[in-house]
Short mmCIF file of all heavy atoms in Angstrom, two decimals:
data_model
loop_
_atom_site.label_atom_id
_atom_site.label_comp_id
_atom_site.label_asym_id
_atom_site.label_seq_id
_atom_site.Cartn_x
_atom_site.Cartn_y
_atom_site.Cartn_z
N TYR Z 50 40.62 10.72 101.23
CA TYR Z 50 41.91 11.39 101.36
C TYR Z 50 42.31 11.25 102.82
O TYR Z 50 41.48 11.41 103.70
CB TYR Z 50 41.80 12.87 101.01
CG TYR Z 50 41.67 13.14 99.54
CD1 TYR Z 50 40.43 13.14 98.92
CD2 TYR Z 50 42.80 13.42 98.77
CE1 TYR Z 50 40.31 13.39 97.57
CE2 TYR Z 50 42.68 13.67 97.41
CZ TYR Z 50 41.43 13.65 96.83
OH TYR Z 50 41.32 13.90 95.49
N GLY Z 51 43.56 10.97 103.08
CA GLY Z 51 43.97 10.84 104.47
C GLY Z 51 45.40 10.38 104.62
O GLY Z 51 46.22 10.52 103.70
N LEU Z 52 45.69 9.82 105.78
CA LEU Z 52 47.02 9.39 106.15
C LEU Z 52 46.93 8.01 106.79
O LEU Z 52 46.05 7.76 107.60
CB LEU Z 52 47.60 10.39 107.16
CG LEU Z 52 49.05 10.25 107.56
CD1 LEU Z 52 49.97 10.60 106.40
CD2 LEU Z 52 49.35 11.15 108.74
N VAL Z 53 47.84 7.12 106.41
CA VAL Z 53 47.87 5.79 106.99
C VAL Z 53 48.48 5.89 108.39
O VAL Z 53 49.62 6.31 108.55
CB VAL Z 53 48.70 4.81 106.13
CG1 VAL Z 53 48.77 3.44 106.79
CG2 VAL Z 53 48.14 4.71 104.74
N LYS Z 54 47.70 5.55 109.41
CA LYS Z 54 48.18 5.58 110.80
C LYS Z 54 48.80 4.26 111.20
O LYS Z 54 49.76 4.23 111.97
CB LYS Z 54 47.03 5.92 111.75
CG LYS Z 54 46.48 7.31 111.56
CD LYS Z 54 47.54 8.36 111.69
CE LYS Z 54 47.45 9.09 112.99
NZ LYS Z 54 48.47 10.12 113.14
N LYS Z 55 48.25 3.14 110.71
CA LYS Z 55 48.74 1.82 111.09
C LYS Z 55 48.51 0.86 109.93
O LYS Z 55 47.46 0.88 109.31
CB LYS Z 55 47.99 1.32 112.33
CG LYS Z 55 48.39 -0.05 112.80
CD LYS Z 55 47.57 -0.47 114.00
CE LYS Z 55 47.90 -1.89 114.40
NZ LYS Z 55 47.03 -2.38 115.47
N ALA Z 56 49.49 0.02 109.66
CA ALA Z 56 49.37 -1.03 108.64
C ALA Z 56 49.94 -2.31 109.24
O ALA Z 56 51.14 -2.43 109.42
CB ALA Z 56 50.12 -0.64 107.37
N ASP Z 57 49.07 -3.25 109.54
CA ASP Z 57 49.49 -4.53 110.13
C ASP Z 57 49.36 -5.61 109.06
O ASP Z 57 48.24 -6.06 108.75
CB ASP Z 57 48.63 -4.85 111.35
CG ASP Z 57 49.15 -6.04 112.13
OD1 ASP Z 57 50.03 -6.75 111.62
OD2 ASP Z 57 48.66 -6.25 113.25
N ILE Z 58 50.48 -6.04 108.52
CA ILE Z 58 50.50 -7.01 107.43
C ILE Z 58 50.06 -8.39 107.90
O ILE Z 58 49.43 -9.14 107.16
CB ILE Z 58 51.89 -7.05 106.77
CG1 ILE Z 58 52.17 -5.69 106.12
CG2 ILE Z 58 51.98 -8.16 105.74
CD1 ILE Z 58 53.54 -5.52 105.57
N GLU Z 59 50.37 -8.74 109.15
CA GLU Z 59 50.03 -10.07 109.65
C GLU Z 59 48.52 -10.27 109.80
O GLU Z 59 48.00 -11.35 109.54
CB GLU Z 59 50.75 -10.33 110.96
CG GLU Z 59 52.24 -10.41 110.78
CD GLU Z 59 52.95 -10.95 112.00
OE1 GLU Z 59 52.29 -11.50 112.89
OE2 GLU Z 59 54.17 -10.82 112.03
N THR Z 60 47.80 -9.24 110.24
CA THR Z 60 46.35 -9.36 110.41
C THR Z 60 45.57 -8.72 109.26
O THR Z 60 44.34 -8.73 109.26
CB THR Z 60 45.90 -8.70 111.73
OG1 THR Z 60 46.25 -7.32 111.70
CG2 THR Z 60 46.51 -9.38 112.93
N ASN Z 61 46.29 -8.17 108.27
CA ASN Z 61 45.69 -7.47 107.13
C ASN Z 61 44.73 -6.37 107.58
O ASN Z 61 43.63 -6.24 107.09
CB ASN Z 61 44.99 -8.45 106.19
CG ASN Z 61 45.91 -8.95 105.10
OD1 ASN Z 61 47.07 -8.58 105.04
ND2 ASN Z 61 45.38 -9.78 104.24
N LEU Z 62 45.20 -5.56 108.53
CA LEU Z 62 44.42 -4.48 109.10
C LEU Z 62 45.10 -3.14 108.79
O LEU Z 62 46.32 -3.03 108.89
CB LEU Z 62 44.29 -4.65 110.61
CG LEU Z 62 43.37 -3.69 111.33
CD1 LEU Z 62 41.92 -4.04 111.01
CD2 LEU Z 62 43.60 -3.76 112.82
N LEU Z 63 44.30 -2.16 108.43
CA LEU Z 63 44.81 -0.85 108.07
C LEU Z 63 43.97 0.21 108.77
O LEU Z 63 42.74 0.11 108.79
CB LEU Z 63 44.71 -0.69 106.55
CG LEU Z 63 45.43 0.43 105.86
CD1 LEU Z 63 46.93 0.28 106.01
CD2 LEU Z 63 45.07 0.43 104.39
N VAL Z 64 44.62 1.24 109.35
CA VAL Z 64 43.91 2.33 110.00
C VAL Z 64 44.24 3.62 109.24
O VAL Z 64 45.41 3.94 109.03
CB VAL Z 64 44.31 2.47 111.48
CG1 VAL Z 64 43.60 3.65 112.12
CG2 VAL Z 64 44.01 1.19 112.25
N ILE Z 65 43.19 4.33 108.82
CA ILE Z 65 43.34 5.57 108.05
C ILE Z 65 42.74 6.72 108.84
O ILE Z 65 41.63 6.62 109.35
CB ILE Z 65 42.62 5.45 106.68
CG1 ILE Z 65 43.21 4.31 105.87
CG2 ILE Z 65 42.70 6.78 105.92
CD1 ILE Z 65 42.44 4.01 104.61
N LYS Z 66 43.46 7.84 108.91
CA LYS Z 66 42.97 9.05 109.56
C LYS Z 66 42.74 10.11 108.49
O LYS Z 66 43.64 10.46 107.73
CB LYS Z 66 44.01 9.54 110.58
CG LYS Z 66 43.63 10.81 111.29
CD LYS Z 66 42.53 10.58 112.29
CE LYS Z 66 42.26 11.85 113.07
NZ LYS Z 66 41.05 11.77 113.84
N LYS Z 67 41.48 10.61 108.41
CA LYS Z 67 41.15 11.68 107.49
C LYS Z 67 41.19 12.99 108.25
O LYS Z 67 40.63 13.10 109.32
CB LYS Z 67 39.75 11.45 106.91
CG LYS Z 67 39.33 12.52 105.93
CD LYS Z 67 37.85 12.42 105.64
CE LYS Z 67 37.36 13.62 104.90
NZ LYS Z 67 37.53 14.89 105.59
N GLY Z 68 41.88 13.97 107.70
CA GLY Z 68 42.04 15.25 108.35
C GLY Z 68 40.86 16.19 108.17
O GLY Z 68 40.02 16.00 107.29
N PHE Z 69 40.81 17.21 108.99
CA PHE Z 69 39.74 18.20 109.00
C PHE Z 69 39.61 18.93 107.66
O PHE Z 69 38.52 19.17 107.17
CB PHE Z 69 39.98 19.21 110.13
CG PHE Z 69 38.93 20.25 110.25
CD1 PHE Z 69 37.72 19.96 110.86
CD2 PHE Z 69 39.13 21.54 109.77
CE1 PHE Z 69 36.73 20.92 110.98
CE2 PHE Z 69 38.15 22.51 109.88
CZ PHE Z 69 36.95 22.20 110.49
N LEU Z 70 40.73 19.30 107.06
CA LEU Z 70 40.72 20.07 105.82
C LEU Z 70 40.79 19.21 104.56
O LEU Z 70 40.80 19.74 103.45
CB LEU Z 70 41.86 21.09 105.82
CG LEU Z 70 41.77 22.15 106.92
CD1 LEU Z 70 43.00 23.05 106.89
CD2 LEU Z 70 40.51 22.98 106.78
N SER Z 71 40.86 17.89 104.71
CA SER Z 71 40.91 17.00 103.54
C SER Z 71 39.58 17.04 102.80
O SER Z 71 38.53 17.20 103.41
CB SER Z 71 41.19 15.56 103.97
OG SER Z 71 42.44 15.46 104.59
N PRO Z 72 39.62 16.87 101.46
CA PRO Z 72 38.36 16.80 100.71
C PRO Z 72 37.46 15.71 101.27
O PRO Z 72 37.94 14.70 101.80
CB PRO Z 72 38.81 16.47 99.28
CG PRO Z 72 40.20 17.04 99.22
CD PRO Z 72 40.78 16.82 100.58
N ALA Z 73 36.17 15.88 101.15
CA ALA Z 73 35.20 15.01 101.82
C ALA Z 73 34.74 13.83 100.97
O ALA Z 73 33.88 13.08 101.40
CB ALA Z 73 33.99 15.83 102.24
N ASP Z 74 35.27 13.65 99.75
CA ASP Z 74 34.74 12.57 98.93
C ASP Z 74 35.02 11.19 99.54
O ASP Z 74 36.08 10.93 100.05
CB ASP Z 74 35.23 12.60 97.48
CG ASP Z 74 36.53 13.29 97.19
OD1 ASP Z 74 36.95 14.09 98.00
OD2 ASP Z 74 37.11 13.00 96.14
N TYR Z 75 34.02 10.34 99.43
CA TYR Z 75 34.11 8.94 99.85
C TYR Z 75 33.82 8.13 98.60
O TYR Z 75 32.75 8.21 98.03
CB TYR Z 75 33.10 8.63 100.95
CG TYR Z 75 33.25 7.24 101.52
CD1 TYR Z 75 34.15 7.00 102.55
CD2 TYR Z 75 32.52 6.17 101.02
CE1 TYR Z 75 34.31 5.72 103.07
CE2 TYR Z 75 32.68 4.91 101.54
CZ TYR Z 75 33.57 4.69 102.55
OH TYR Z 75 33.74 3.42 103.07
N ARG Z 76 34.81 7.36 98.16
CA ARG Z 76 34.71 6.65 96.88
C ARG Z 76 34.68 5.14 97.07
O ARG Z 76 35.17 4.62 98.06
CB ARG Z 76 35.86 7.05 95.97
CG ARG Z 76 35.83 8.54 95.64
CD ARG Z 76 36.85 8.92 94.61
NE ARG Z 76 36.78 10.35 94.35
CZ ARG Z 76 35.99 10.89 93.43
NH1 ARG Z 76 35.21 10.15 92.69
NH2 ARG Z 76 35.97 12.20 93.26
N CYS Z 77 34.10 4.48 96.09
CA CYS Z 77 34.06 3.02 96.09
C CYS Z 77 35.50 2.50 96.03
O CYS Z 77 36.32 3.00 95.26
CB CYS Z 77 33.26 2.53 94.88
SG CYS Z 77 33.14 0.74 94.79
N ASN Z 78 35.81 1.50 96.86
CA ASN Z 78 37.19 1.02 96.93
C ASN Z 78 37.43 -0.25 96.14
O ASN Z 78 38.53 -0.49 95.69
CB ASN Z 78 37.59 0.82 98.39
CG ASN Z 78 36.61 -0.05 99.11
OD1 ASN Z 78 35.99 -0.92 98.53
ND2 ASN Z 78 36.43 0.19 100.39
N SER Z 79 36.44 -1.11 96.01
CA SER Z 79 36.64 -2.40 95.38
C SER Z 79 35.30 -3.04 95.06
O SER Z 79 34.28 -2.68 95.64
CB SER Z 79 37.43 -3.31 96.34
OG SER Z 79 37.47 -4.63 95.88
N ASN Z 80 35.33 -4.01 94.15
CA ASN Z 80 34.12 -4.79 93.87
C ASN Z 80 34.04 -6.02 94.76
O ASN Z 80 33.05 -6.74 94.72
CB ASN Z 80 34.10 -5.21 92.40
CG ASN Z 80 33.80 -4.05 91.48
OD1 ASN Z 80 33.11 -3.12 91.87
ND2 ASN Z 80 34.31 -4.10 90.28
N ASP Z 81 35.08 -6.30 95.53
CA ASP Z 81 35.13 -7.47 96.39
C ASP Z 81 34.36 -7.20 97.68
O ASP Z 81 34.73 -6.33 98.47
CB ASP Z 81 36.58 -7.83 96.71
CG ASP Z 81 36.72 -9.20 97.33
OD1 ASP Z 81 35.72 -9.74 97.85
OD2 ASP Z 81 37.85 -9.75 97.31
N GLU Z 82 33.29 -7.95 97.92
CA GLU Z 82 32.47 -7.74 99.10
C GLU Z 82 33.15 -8.21 100.39
O GLU Z 82 32.69 -7.89 101.49
CB GLU Z 82 31.13 -8.45 98.93
CG GLU Z 82 30.29 -7.84 97.83
CD GLU Z 82 28.99 -8.58 97.61
OE1 GLU Z 82 28.71 -9.55 98.34
OE2 GLU Z 82 28.26 -8.19 96.69
N LYS Z 83 34.24 -8.96 100.28
CA LYS Z 83 34.94 -9.45 101.46
C LYS Z 83 35.83 -8.38 102.10
O LYS Z 83 36.27 -8.53 103.22
CB LYS Z 83 35.77 -10.68 101.13
CG LYS Z 83 34.92 -11.89 100.73
CD LYS Z 83 35.78 -13.10 100.47
CE LYS Z 83 36.29 -13.04 99.06
NZ LYS Z 83 37.13 -14.16 98.67
N VAL Z 84 36.10 -7.31 101.37
CA VAL Z 84 36.90 -6.20 101.90
C VAL Z 84 35.99 -5.36 102.81
O VAL Z 84 34.95 -4.89 102.38
CB VAL Z 84 37.48 -5.33 100.77
CG1 VAL Z 84 38.20 -4.12 101.32
CG2 VAL Z 84 38.40 -6.15 99.88
N GLU Z 85 36.40 -5.21 104.09
CA GLU Z 85 35.58 -4.48 105.06
C GLU Z 85 36.23 -3.14 105.38
O GLU Z 85 37.38 -3.09 105.80
CB GLU Z 85 35.47 -5.27 106.36
CG GLU Z 85 34.79 -6.60 106.25
CD GLU Z 85 34.82 -7.34 107.56
OE1 GLU Z 85 34.75 -6.69 108.63
OE2 GLU Z 85 34.93 -8.57 107.52
N ILE Z 86 35.48 -2.06 105.17
CA ILE Z 86 35.95 -0.73 105.56
C ILE Z 86 34.86 -0.11 106.42
O ILE Z 86 33.73 0.07 105.97
CB ILE Z 86 36.29 0.14 104.34
CG1 ILE Z 86 37.43 -0.51 103.56
CG2 ILE Z 86 36.64 1.55 104.77
CD1 ILE Z 86 37.99 0.27 102.44
N LYS Z 87 35.22 0.20 107.67
CA LYS Z 87 34.26 0.75 108.62
C LYS Z 87 34.71 2.14 109.06
O LYS Z 87 35.88 2.36 109.34
CB LYS Z 87 34.14 -0.16 109.85
CG LYS Z 87 33.57 -1.51 109.53
CD LYS Z 87 33.44 -2.35 110.76
CE LYS Z 87 32.90 -3.72 110.40
NZ LYS Z 87 32.78 -4.59 111.54
N VAL Z 88 33.76 3.06 109.13
CA VAL Z 88 34.03 4.41 109.63
C VAL Z 88 33.82 4.37 111.14
O VAL Z 88 32.70 4.19 111.62
CB VAL Z 88 33.08 5.44 108.98
CG1 VAL Z 88 33.34 6.82 109.53
CG2 VAL Z 88 33.26 5.42 107.46
N LYS Z 89 34.92 4.48 111.92
CA LYS Z 89 34.84 4.43 113.37
C LYS Z 89 34.52 5.79 113.97
O LYS Z 89 33.85 5.87 114.97
CB LYS Z 89 36.16 3.90 113.96
CG LYS Z 89 36.45 2.46 113.61
CD LYS Z 89 35.38 1.54 114.11
CE LYS Z 89 35.73 0.99 115.44
NZ LYS Z 89 34.85 -0.06 115.90
N GLU Z 90 35.06 6.84 113.40
CA GLU Z 90 34.79 8.21 113.85
C GLU Z 90 34.44 9.03 112.62
O GLU Z 90 35.11 8.93 111.61
CB GLU Z 90 36.02 8.81 114.53
CG GLU Z 90 36.44 8.12 115.80
CD GLU Z 90 37.75 8.67 116.35
OE1 GLU Z 90 38.24 9.69 115.84
OE2 GLU Z 90 38.29 8.05 117.26
N GLY Z 91 33.41 9.83 112.70
CA GLY Z 91 33.01 10.66 111.57
C GLY Z 91 31.61 10.28 111.11
O GLY Z 91 31.06 9.25 111.50
N LYS Z 92 31.01 11.14 110.29
CA LYS Z 92 29.65 10.91 109.81
C LYS Z 92 29.68 10.76 108.29
O LYS Z 92 29.89 11.71 107.56
CB LYS Z 92 28.75 12.08 110.20
CG LYS Z 92 27.32 11.89 109.77
CD LYS Z 92 26.41 12.88 110.46
CE LYS Z 92 24.99 12.86 109.97
NZ LYS Z 92 24.40 11.63 109.63
N LEU Z 93 29.43 9.53 107.84
CA LEU Z 93 29.41 9.22 106.42
C LEU Z 93 28.00 9.37 105.88
O LEU Z 93 27.05 8.84 106.45
CB LEU Z 93 29.90 7.79 106.19
CG LEU Z 93 29.83 7.26 104.76
CD1 LEU Z 93 30.71 8.09 103.82
CD2 LEU Z 93 30.25 5.80 104.72
#
Side-chain angles (χ1 to χ4, degrees):
Y50 285 87
L52 188 69
V53 178
K54 295 304 255 180
K55 179 182 176 186
D57 189 348
I58 295 174
E59 294 192 13
T60 60
N61 269 0
L62 187 73
L63 193 65
V64 178
I65 300 172
K66 178 73 175 168
K67 180 192 168 300
F69 181 78
L70 297 176
S71 297
D74 24 340
Y75 186 86
R76 298 187 181 271
C77 180
N78 53 31
S79 170
N80 287 331
D81 193 341
E82 294 177 3
K83 294 183 276 180
V84 175
E85 298 176 34
I86 297 187
K87 295 182 182 179
V88 178
K89 294 300 266 189
E90 296 174 9
K92 181 166 174 38
L93 175 62

